[in-house]
Amino acid sequence: MYLRALTGLADDGTTTCSSEELAAAAGVNSAKLRKDLSHLGSYGTRGVGYDVEYLRYQIAREIGVTQDWPVVIVGIGNLGHALANYSGFRSRGFRVVALLDADPRRHTEVVAGLEVRSFDDLESIVAEHDVSIGVIATPAVAAQDVADRMVASGVTSILNFAPTVLSVPDGVDVRKVDLSIELQILAYHEQRKAVAPGSEVVS
Amino acid sequence: MYLRALTGLADDGTTTCSSEELAAAAGVNSAKLRKDLSHLGSYGTRGVGYDVEYLRYQIAREIGVTQDWPVVIVGIGNLGHALANYSGFRSRGFRVVALLDADPRRHTEVVAGLEVRSFDDLESIVAEHDVSIGVIATPAVAAQDVADRMVASGVTSILNFAPTVLSVPDGVDVRKVDLSIELQILAYHEQRKAVAPGSEVVS
DNA sequence: GACGTTTTGTTCTCCCGTTCACAAACTCCT
DNA sequence: AGGAGTTTGTGAACGGGAGAACAAAACGTC
Ligand SMILES: NC(=O)c1ccc[n+]([C@@H]2O[C@H](COP(=O)([O-])OP(=O)(O)OC[C@H]3O[C@@H](n4cnc5c(N)ncnc54)[C@H](O)[C@@H]3O)[C@@H](O)[C@H]2O)c1
Ligand SMILES: NC(=O)c1ccc[n+]([C@@H]2O[C@H](COP(=O)([O-])OP(=O)(O)OC[C@H]3O[C@@H](n4cnc5c(N)ncnc54)[C@H](O)[C@@H]3O)[C@@H](O)[C@H]2O)c1
């Protein structure tokens, strides 16, 4: 979040910022921001603030997005198309190297300059591009199988959009994005507003 | 998450389950699950477990998804199309009532049985369908404006896909989904694996 | 060079979510 | 009916994140 906020500030031509300003841009408390940054090192100057470009680089380096990470997307349906076409990944340190789908009818398609390839090509693509991050955008029933194949072929980080719990071996990281749950959380608070007006805010 | 897990169990024909089983299906610790459920009431039977259908209804009622919530989606680009076409929202308590876009060229389109309408129709649509939940899938620069218009027209919960911090008045809830940040979190752990192998797992 | 101002880095405290562990409650079998 | 075996609900301990507050450091001014 801080990286995103710093990029925004840099685009506006800001060269220096205080913890207060950056915290506002990132939507957090300034004390929390300073504590978070202090874990990376002492990159600010007391009485002055932080150098935007310098701090941006330091955070990018710490996260590991100074070079591009190759990524494969599996499941080029509605969501897969949107992800493949999204330009924001490229500018934030990721490069989509392959789009895979089990449905042969998809294999004639070209999305965002990449041809959709057979899911069977997974192993060779992962090996060739040294891919460690995979994105799953298949239906829920297929997700575990896809994850297993990914892990077997060498992927060690998975971003899962399918509404299922994936089980993976130790050492493999999974993050899930479940949009229905996000909406349900909003609905819950919405319902409570109707019953007891005021007082509730989402973190 | 529990609701999703319970629906899965119900689909499999399971009528009763223990906290251990449900916790496994939801991917959490069983003690946590029991404590969470205890906040809703005492819906289990000691020595037996939980009745799947009964508990499912109780959770749905607590969340407020026993009836459908009307939802508007603003910004029918790559992501907006995917969201509009997603059938999972419908089955989880949400009904997309309108698709809005500022670009007049989009207004001839019909997506998932709904015509894409002008953003200026927001107020009338929100009033007509009593919409309280809005989804923002526009570019980041437009997101704050869209949010302001939503709030002004009566929306009190926003799901934001644009990589920006939205500022909204008290009483309005915002949840954000930032896919680049999800990938960056994976990249961070990935980088650390390369440096110090083993030992790290994402929550 | 000393002093006031600004802003970071850090400590301390508070609070909340997570987990363990166990008593209470229920079922089943004899 | 009683006892063995399960499984829930919850009290207690633990851990960690969030914010308030302050000392240390840099800068500008006289
Ligand atoms: N579309 C959305 O906005 C949205 C929102 C929330 C969650 N999701 C979830 O994301 C996932 C994808 O959604 P979608 O709308 O794009 O679905 P979709 O049906 O449009 O696309 C799924 C694609 O996956 C492919 N596929 C199926 N099995 C496969 C396998 N074993 N290996 C490789 N590819 C396989 C299919 O051929 C298809 O092209 C689903 O799990 C859905 O629940 C989607
Ligand atoms: N596509 C993805 O997979 C993806 C992934 C992560 C984040 N996002 C974010 O989601 C948002 C949408 O992404 P996208 O790829 O769909 O972009 P897009 O450019 O394809 O679509 C944006 C749509 O919003 C419309 N729009 C612009 N200004 C508007 C306004 N003021 N009011 C109403 N509509 C307006 C445009 O006409 C366009 O149709 C972006 O903020 C992007 O950063 C997208």
Side-chain angles (χ1 to χ4, degrees), chain A residues 1 3-4 25-27 61-65 69 78-79 82-83 85-86 88-89 92 94 132-133 135 156-159 161 163-165 171-191 193 200-202, chain B residues 1 3-4 25-27 61-65 69 78-79 82-83 85-86 88-89 92 94 132-133 135 156-159 161 163-165 171-191 193 200-202:
Chain A
M1 282 160 39
L3 187 56
R4 202 177 73 187
R61 188 181 53 76
E62 180 74 19
I63 292 178
V65 292
W69 290 88
N78 290 311
L79 189 57
L83 296 173
N85 279 315
Y86 183 48
F89 292 145
R92 288 180 178 83
F94 302 92
S132 49
I133 301 178
V135 176
T156 45
S157 288
I158 294 175
L159 182 57
F161 285 92
T164 331
V165 175
V172 176
D173 290 339
V174 175
R175 291 191 68 85
K176 61 172 187 294
V177 175
D178 192 319
L179 307 181
S180 295
I181 286 186
E182 297 297 326
L183 282 181
Q184 288 178 345
I185 293 171
L186 288 175
Y188 171 71
H189 288 287
E190 203 57 49
Q191 192 199 31
K193 282 181 209 165
E200 239 82 48
V201 181
V202 174
Chain B
M1 282 159 39
L3 187 56
R4 203 177 72 187
R61 188 181 53 77
E62 181 75 18
I63 293 177
V65 292
W69 290 88
N78 290 312
L79 190 57
L83 296 173
N85 280 316
Y86 183 48
F89 292 145
R92 288 181 178 81
F94 301 93
S132 50
I133 301 178
V135 176
T156 46
S157 288
I158 294 175
L159 182 57
F161 286 91
T164 330
V165 175
V172 176
D173 290 339
V174 175
R175 291 192 69 86
K176 61 173 187 298
V177 175
D178 193 319
L179 307 182
S180 295
I181 286 185
E182 298 297 328
L183 283 181
Q184 288 178 344
I185 293 170
L186 288 176
Y188 170 71
H189 289 286
E190 203 56 50
Q191 191 199 31
K193 282 182 210 164
E200 239 84 47
V201 180
V202 173

Side-chain angles (χ1 to χ4, degrees), chain B residues 67-82:
Chain B
Q67 293 111 21
D68 277 5
W69 290 88
V71 172
V72 295
I73 302 178
V74 177
I76 313 301
N78 290 312
L79 190 57
H81 274 88

Side-chain angles (χ1 to χ4, degrees), chain A residues 122-158:
Chain A
L122 178 68
E123 284 77 7
S124 63
I125 289 170
V126 169
E128 182 189 347
H129 293 91
D130 195 21
V131 176
S132 49
I133 301 178
V135 176
I136 298 181
T138 66
V141 286
Q144 183 64 59
D145 285 346
V146 172
D148 291 344
R149 284 280 293 273
M150 279 184 174
V151 170
S153 64
V155 168
T156 45
S157 288
I158 294 175

